[in-house]
Amino acid sequence: MNGNGITKEENTILTENFYALSKKQKYSYTVSLTSCGLYLQKNFNGSTKTDLIRASDIIGCKCMRNNGKSNECICRPVKNSNTSSHQVRIPYNEAFDCSAYLCVYAYILKNIATKNEKRDKMIVTLRFRNYNNYEDNLKIAINWKYEINSLIRTRNEDRIIVTPANNQCLSDRLLVIVNPKSGVGKGREIFQRRVAPVLVMADIDFELHITCMQNDARNLVRTSNIYEWGRGIVVLGGDGLMFEVINGLMERSDWQRAFEYLTLAIIPGGSGNGLAKSIGYETNEPYMQDPIIISTLNVVGGNSRPMDLVRVETLSQVVYSFLSVGWGFIADIDIESERLRILGNPRFTIWSIARLIGLKTYRARLSYSKVKNVEAKVSNFTKNSFFDCKDINDDDETVSVEFGMDPVSLEEFDFRERVESFSSVISKRSAFMSIHESSSFTSIPDIIEESDIRMRGPAPKIPPLSEPVPLDWEILEEEFVMIHASYLSHISEDLILAPNSKLNDGVIWLLIVKSGISRASFLQFLLALSTGNHLSFPYVQMIPVNAFRLEPLSGGSHIVVDGELLKHSPLQAEIMPGVTNVYARQKH
Ligand code: ADP
Ligand code: MG
């Protein structure tokens, strides 16, 4: 490693010296772009201090020009790094400012590995004034932009997407589906205020669809030309909205290609948010500090990974699930507490206590095919307990390192024509309306007749529900307090049912609580669900399986799949490994 922190293995792509002049201090910066990211080396009074903004934390950059509102000019790059004759204060004059600016946007980790780990927004503004005319300075800024984009985009442009019909390249647009009724009903506002600005910084072209009723999202993805959304589909809502999208896609005749090419994502706006939390947990991100930003960064980061789906078959229907199948206690509180929706997450807690007083048991036959060589017991589970700290900042903290003017006084310069401009997103109303108008049902290339709607998807390997289970399956027939199968770590932001579960481990984690457990133990068990230490109680068992069948032998409970109520019936479930892809950052 040399003095500026750059290792020998790193390839320096660009480097430039900048002067920052203020009344108190005179110092220079050496800014270098390497394969690892952007190094900012501050040279001050003979000493240096270097910060690295990692490439994986940079979300985008934009060329800007001065719009003349600022009246001070404090720095400019110089060609020769060791001459002080370039450190000249330039009086502001609109006609004179021929500089080109480059704003680099990043979300960097702060307080790493502490309780307060979080991501903060950082804007680095570089002012290029190497020449006395704007066009030449702009060329340099554009070159930096190009190189930064090449560095950060290599992670998401490794697949060329073609339409099934005519082999045309697809657009790079993202579809955002918002459920305005999710959670406490703030979906539109969250999108407008917190998500859209990040998408704009990352230069992601998007289309917005606000659902107007239940199954709107399902119909949209079933009947639209989804190949227009080459960047994928992100839902802003709860797990119920994602359930609609997955099942709508499974109803398409081209379901296989759709899942192969589309990357899905979720930004939590619901009251459960199991998928969003599980992704944050698996990628080791400080999710609870700011669930919206962390989830949005998954989308702009562009890294996707496979996720398992589970085919659930009842006597009357087949659905595809990504989260859980529940029966008994937790399923009952999930459904019965619906009336407490306005409270957001605490509704689960309040209802559990009410339910605990009259703890019920239910009889069932549970058959399953156990996965060998998977460790189900989790001992001394303490990992990342600080993620439960809920100290959410509502507004983005902007740490601005500027070698030039305040970015708000700059105007975006970009060769590409954009639907949504930088300024339109600041104005809540205009951006919202104009984007909304462009999303509609007008582009429907292959309308499927209502009568032909049926569930497709991968063929099951297990026998149908009408036939006996295979001979090598294990069978339990007894009274249960609950049976909850999950295939993600969390079924909600504060319930970690299957701590060892991964997005793509091919395992259904069957959590069962048998009759006989005391109320006191069961309460302890429920409380431990928020830390993942719930597996050491008597009558509690975790069984990793790849398929199971549940035949309720008494009524009174609910069957809940991904938080949605299904008609009470015998059911069976089978894991379909890696059927879909979701946006998720690389682990830091
Ligand atoms: P939550 O986590 O708060 O339950 P979800 O996004 O999961 O939020 O949505 C809950 C239910 O609302 C789902 O069944 C979904 O299909 C349905 N839904 C989606 N859009 C709308 C809408 N515009 N009006 C009413 N219900 C909707
Ligand atoms: Mg899994």
Side-chain angles (χ1 to χ4, degrees), residues 308 486-488 501-507 509 575:
D308 303 336
S486 55
Y487 2 105
L488 291 174
S501 180
K502 295 276 181 292
L503 291 172
N504 183 213
D505 55 3
V507 176
W509 298 84
I575 195 107

Side-chain angles (χ1 to χ4, degrees), residues 312 321-326 334 484-488 491 497 560-563:
V312 180
S321 156
F322 59 94
L323 185 66
S324 65
V325 177
D334 201 4
H484 216 101
S486 55
Y487 2 105
L488 291 174
I491 61 160
L497 251 65
V560 180
V561 176
D562 298 359

Side-chain angles (χ1 to χ4, degrees), residues 63-79:
C63 291
M64 305 275 198
R65 69 194 303 181
N66 187 357
N67 69 5
K69 288 194 187 125
S70 178
N71 59 5
E72 199 177 7
C73 169
I74 54 170
C75 86
R76 62 175 189 164
V78 290
K79 285 192 182 128

